[in-house]
Amino acid sequence: GMAAAFLMEIRRATQSALLVVRAAAELPSAPVEVSVCADSLEVRSGGSCDAAALPAGVSLAPSSCRGLRRLRGDGLHLRVRLRRPPPAADVVFPLRESLKPNKNYIFYCQSCGDIVVNDRKFLRVLPLPSENWSDLVEEWCCHPNPFARRTLHPQHGDCFVGDTFLLLNSRNESHVPESPKSKENTKVICKRCKTMLGETVSSGTIKYYVTEVVIQSAEGGFSPTPRSQFVQSIVAQCLLELSSAKSTFRFTIKGDNGKTYILIWLLNSDTLLIESLGSSSSHSDFTLFGDTLTPSPGPVGSWNALKVLYQPCIQCRNKELADAWEDDMGVHPLKFPSETCLELLLILGLSTTSLPPSLRCMNSFQV
């Protein structure tokens, strides 16, 4: 097969694609012949010929090829238009749509599959306002904030859904520490694998982070998803939902310790990535999490992707920018357990290194 011979980045909105033929990166002297057909690509170089069929629904317009250039370390770059828009991405439904009142649910620990909340029926599933809602009330009210010092506590049959967490009433939960003495005691830990799942917010309220629990209806069973895939899909879902609901495209990723770990700027959500999965393909790097990201069988893989710019903020990096974003009302904070923030940073880094070198940076941000 093609040894990671090409990467194609398609934008659904503009029906255009950037094609990078990576086979041409190593041998600057050898002639490379690229044939672009409507439904396939062929690369001939040094006596070898690699051909790959494009995924169903992706059809190129070969006569529109333009902007051919060779970049050292990258290979050949060219732009091409699509004949028709590729099939739309499967939209993952956000939590608040998948949780329904009067149905029984089981919460599992995402890491090990242990049951965390068994067979709970919610009478009400209600969305919470965003984290900084009380600041906004003060901006809009001409009299003192009527909601000051009033917190929202779920009653027995309630499930409150936040941006990155769920609030439940915990009065009958056995594994929840009763009266928190310190920050450490408020953590809710999985009994089996000791992962942090959430925290107790008050004596009767528990917060579960959506990156740490899998919620299934009581009829279904637990089917494990590899950790990095799960974290990516949940975080992508949060970014998609907030960007479409609030027109917010900049986010700070914060840990439960209050520290900022990553600044994320969402560029677009209509990207379809197609890559030939050859022997030297980048995706073998993802085995750090015990999974390989090969979504479809065969030599060519395709992914729906969000394209983001990001800056790591660990060890005081990018402190000035992080402080500026902190004070900006247009930036939305997202809070996850600190371990998960580090996992996300690792996932972003691996994703960046899987791109050709010229596509890994934009301005001072990583892609």
Side-chain angles (χ1 to χ4, degrees):
M2 301 173 105
F6 77 86
L7 171 75
M8 192 186 295
E9 184 184 325
I10 291 173
R11 289 290 308 277
R12 285 186 172 86
T14 55
Q15 289 183 48
S16 61
L18 168 67
L19 172 63
V20 181
V21 180
R22 294 172 144 187
E26 277 70 48
L27 305 164
S29 54
V32 176
E33 196 179 298
V34 181
S35 304
V36 178
C37 305
D39 55 0
S40 65
L41 293 172
E42 197 174 277
V43 180
R44 295 171 185 272
S45 176
S48 69
C49 172
D50 286 315
L54 295 175
V58 175
S59 179
L60 305 177
S63 59
S64 66
C65 289
R66 58 185 167 79
L68 179 66
R69 60 199 179 114
R70 186 175 208 152
L71 292 181
R72 202 181 185 91
D74 266 25
L76 293 175
H77 282 231
L78 63 105
R79 295 198 168 274
V80 58
R81 295 197 62 75
L82 271 64
R83 284 190 165 167
R84 56 176 175 269
D90 295 332
V91 178
V92 191
F93 289 108
L95 271 170
R96 60 193 70 182
E97 285 177 41
S98 57
L99 274 170
K100 298 271 187 284
N102 296 312
K103 278 188 71 177
N104 288 37
Y105 290 98
I106 299 176
F107 288 28
Y108 298 90
C109 167
Q110 199 279 323
S111 301
C112 74
D114 202 28
I115 289 180
V116 180
V117 176
N118 198 4
D119 222 14
R120 276 286 276 278
K121 182 191 280 188
F122 300 114
L123 303 175
R124 301 191 301 172
V125 178
L126 301 171
L128 284 167
S130 58
E131 297 256 335
N132 50 359
W133 69 280
S134 53
D135 306 344
L136 297 172
V137 170
E138 280 168 8
E139 299 281 330
W140 287 95
C141 280
C142 57
H143 49 83
N145 180 354
F147 306 107
R149 293 176 301 284
R150 289 178 67 183
T151 47
L152 300 162
H153 291 304
Q155 300 306 304
H156 179 68
D158 291 347
C159 176
F160 291 174
V161 184
D163 291 338
T164 62
F165 61 87
L166 305 160
L167 291 184
L168 306 188
N169 185 294
S170 65
R171 292 208 170 82
N172 55 356
E173 302 287 331
S174 59
H175 65 298
V176 177
E178 258 320 297
S179 52
K181 308 276 187 302
S182 70
K183 180 79 183 108
E184 280 304 303
N185 286 0
T186 67
K187 288 187 175 179
V188 175
I189 307 288
C190 172
K191 282 186 200 154
R192 187 196 282 170
C193 72
K194 305 293 180 269
T195 301
M196 178 188 162
L197 305 173
E199 50 201 84
T200 45
V201 183
S202 68
S203 61
T205 304
I206 182 168
K207 172 198 278 190
Y208 288 110
Y209 287 104
V210 292
T211 48
E212 312 310 314
V213 291
V214 174
I215 302 162
Q216 304 273 3
S217 70
E219 296 89 70
F222 175 74
S223 50
T225 307
R227 178 72 186 154
S228 75
Q229 248 168 285
F230 184 79
V231 170
Q232 284 183 77
S233 68
I234 290 288
V235 173
Q237 208 172 302
C238 290
L239 299 180
L240 257 182
E241 200 181 339
L242 286 163
S243 62
S244 58
K246 298 193 168 81
S247 294
T248 299
F249 302 99
R250 289 181 298 155
F251 303 88
T252 51
I253 306 292
K254 290 171 169 292
D256 59 282
N257 54 9
K259 288 182 184 165
T260 299
Y261 283 79
I262 317 169
L263 308 178
I264 288 186
W265 197 323
L266 176 62
L267 271 190
N268 67 59
S269 55
D270 65 343
T271 295
L272 175 64
L273 280 182
I274 299 174
E275 185 174 11
S276 59
L277 302 175
S279 51
S280 64
S281 174
S282 56
H283 297 284
S284 56
D285 297 349
F286 277 87
T287 47
L288 276 168
F289 288 99
D291 67 309
T292 49
L293 283 180
T294 47
S296 48
V300 176
S302 61
W303 294 261
N304 292 310
L306 297 191
K307 190 167 187 177
V308 301
L309 305 181
Y310 70 96
Q311 291 274 24
C313 295
I314 50 173
Q315 295 159 340
C316 294
R317 289 170 68 182
N318 299 305
K319 188 168 180 347
E320 281 178 25
L321 185 62
D323 290 346
W325 280 34
E326 193 71 38
D327 300 333
D328 191 328
M329 287 295 271
V331 176
H332 194 91
L334 291 175
K335 187 174 158 190
F336 298 103
S338 304
E339 288 285 310
T340 303
C341 296
L342 291 171
E343 283 178 339
L344 181 58
L345 197 50
L346 184 57
I347 289 167
L348 286 166
L350 288 169
S351 176
T352 300
T353 53
S354 75
L355 293 170
S358 72
L359 302 180
R360 292 176 192 173
C361 286
M362 193 178 282
N363 298 339
S364 62
F365 284 81
Q366 296 182 64
V367 179

